[in-house]
Amino acid sequence: MIRAARERIGTNLRRTPLLSNPALDAIAGRRVLLKAECLQVTGSFKARGGWSAVSAIPEDTRRRGVIAFSSGNHAQGVAHAAKMHGVPAVILMPKDAPRAKVDNTRALGAEVVLFDRETDDRDALGAALAEERGLTLIKPFDEPQVIAGQGTTGLEIAEQAAEAGVREAEVLVCCGGGGLTSGIAMALEAEAPMMRARTVEPEGFDDVKRSLETGEIRRNDRLGGSICDAIVTPQPGDLTFPIMHRLCGPGLAVSDEEAMRAMALAFRHLRVVIEPGGAVALAAALFRPEAISGSAVIAVASGGNVDAALYADALERFAS
């Protein structure tokens, strides 16, 4: 399914670069390679899963439209794919989603419906709208075609790492519900078996890390309060967790401040813009060296859709 998703995506999305800089290597104490999904169409890897899912829907069903719920990156990925396929899209977004993500989703032609992530049941809201309008619901991570699309990132990592002379490494992935991590993990299993995916989350919202430790799905106690909004989810998915439990190493967690510091370092040394939730993997690569093995580490920068004020704060606070 991952290889088929890659065929359907074709040249419609970008083969994002694998970047490096000696200054980051020095901080981490090993070679650091950054998979810059923040340079993907819509500014996030979610464009992959969105295209995979929309393109896989039978045409007679697809023309009625699609619906998704997201804090912004999945929203934009589905909205972009729907626009390019000429079908309507309805997106449920939390009221506290970054303004830039809401505006960008609307700019792609989607109808945005806002909800309160603390009090509203987004799954119930999405299911009701889907039934009412005859829309196809595209879940943000617990959906086979979305996982397959995200897995195309892993195919690229395997190819690009080999081109860079790296065949054995831990691959750190910013993790919310686990769609990207599980897709990458399966792609690496097939194409780069000497590499192992590992999840990275914000401290206090490390449901996947705790789930991997116990072997059972654990929930977060709260769903708000971290600047890493893109990867704050209630719990890992029913489809994604068994894959991660089988293929991934122990999970990692970093603080919001470490994520912001990683954002500043990525700008200074790589000239790329990363959002907080998309920077946690790089933060772990740089600031958790004792928890990582091997002479090289690959970090996925999963998204770059950050509000200007927050980004300016990160650059100012960690200017040196």
Side-chain angles (χ1 to χ4, degrees), residues 12-320:
N12 293 292
L13 302 179
R14 295 175 185 148
R15 185 180 191 257
T16 57
L18 198 63
L19 305 175
S20 63
N21 184 281
L24 299 181
D25 297 348
I27 295 170
R30 57 172 51 87
R31 191 176 182 188
V32 176
L33 299 171
L34 186 80
K35 178 61 171 169
E37 281 297 291
C38 50
L39 300 178
Q40 185 54 267
V41 172
T42 75
S44 164
F45 76 95
K46 291 285 191 176
R48 298 175 184 268
W51 193 283
S52 174
V54 172
S55 64
I57 301 171
E59 186 175 353
D60 58 340
T61 302
R62 186 170 63 211
R63 70 168 61 101
R64 293 197 292 269
V66 296
I67 184 171
F69 38 86
S70 164
S71 65
N73 286 331
H74 179 61
Q76 292 172 80
V78 171
H80 173 264
K83 180 179 181 180
M84 298 303 292
H85 284 83
V87 300
V90 178
I91 310 294
L92 277 72
M93 302 184 71
K95 293 178 180 178
D96 62 350
R99 179 63 180 271
K101 294 181 180 181
V102 176
D103 290 346
N104 289 344
T105 303
R106 286 181 171 139
L108 288 167
E111 175 189 346
V112 174
V113 178
L114 299 176
F115 70 94
D116 188 323
R117 74 164 85 216
E118 294 283 359
T119 59
D120 295 331
D121 184 337
R122 69 177 186 179
D123 292 351
L125 290 171
L129 276 169
E131 182 176 359
E132 177 185 340
R133 303 191 190 184
L135 307 172
T136 298
L137 176 63
I138 300 177
K139 296 180 181 180
F141 52 83
D142 226 20
E143 158 58 48
Q145 288 296 352
V146 169
I147 296 171
Q150 320 306 26
T152 63
T153 312
L155 297 180
E156 292 179 15
I157 288 173
E159 295 167 353
Q160 293 168 313
E163 292 166 4
V166 176
R167 299 188 179 277
E168 183 174 355
E170 295 194 335
V171 179
L172 310 186
V173 188
C174 310
C175 189
L180 178 62
T181 308
S182 57
I184 287 176
M186 288 189 290
L188 294 178
E189 180 186 31
E191 301 294 336
M194 298 296 288
M195 295 185 182
R196 177 176 69 163
R198 295 186 64 183
T199 64
V200 188
E201 299 165 282
E203 290 177 347
F205 301 89
D206 58 350
D207 51 294
V208 177
K209 178 177 180 291
R210 290 182 286 109
S211 297
L212 291 172
E213 289 170 348
T214 62
E216 298 178 352
I217 289 178
R218 302 298 187 191
R219 290 184 60 88
N220 283 320
D221 295 331
R222 54 197 175 97
L223 297 178
S226 171
I227 61 171
C228 301
D229 63 282
I231 57 172
V232 173
T233 54
Q235 64 185 50
D238 292 333
L239 295 179
T240 61
F241 177 66
I243 298 169
M244 293 187 289
H245 188 246
R246 181 173 69 86
L247 295 176
C248 295
L252 298 163
V254 299
S255 68
D256 283 1
E257 184 169 294
E258 288 171 322
M260 292 183 73
R261 185 179 174 199
M263 292 163 60
L265 288 167
F267 173 76
R268 185 182 314 136
H269 299 299
L270 299 173
R271 291 296 185 261
V272 293
V273 175
I274 312 179
E275 65 188 272
V280 297
L282 178 60
L286 297 176
F287 312 133
R288 297 289 186 276
E290 73 289 344
I292 300 167
S293 62
S295 60
V297 62
I298 300 171
V300 179
S302 56
N305 296 309
V306 58
D307 278 342
L310 177 60
Y311 192 65
D313 182 41
L315 297 185
E316 181 178 358
R317 286 177 58 189
F318 301 100
S320 60

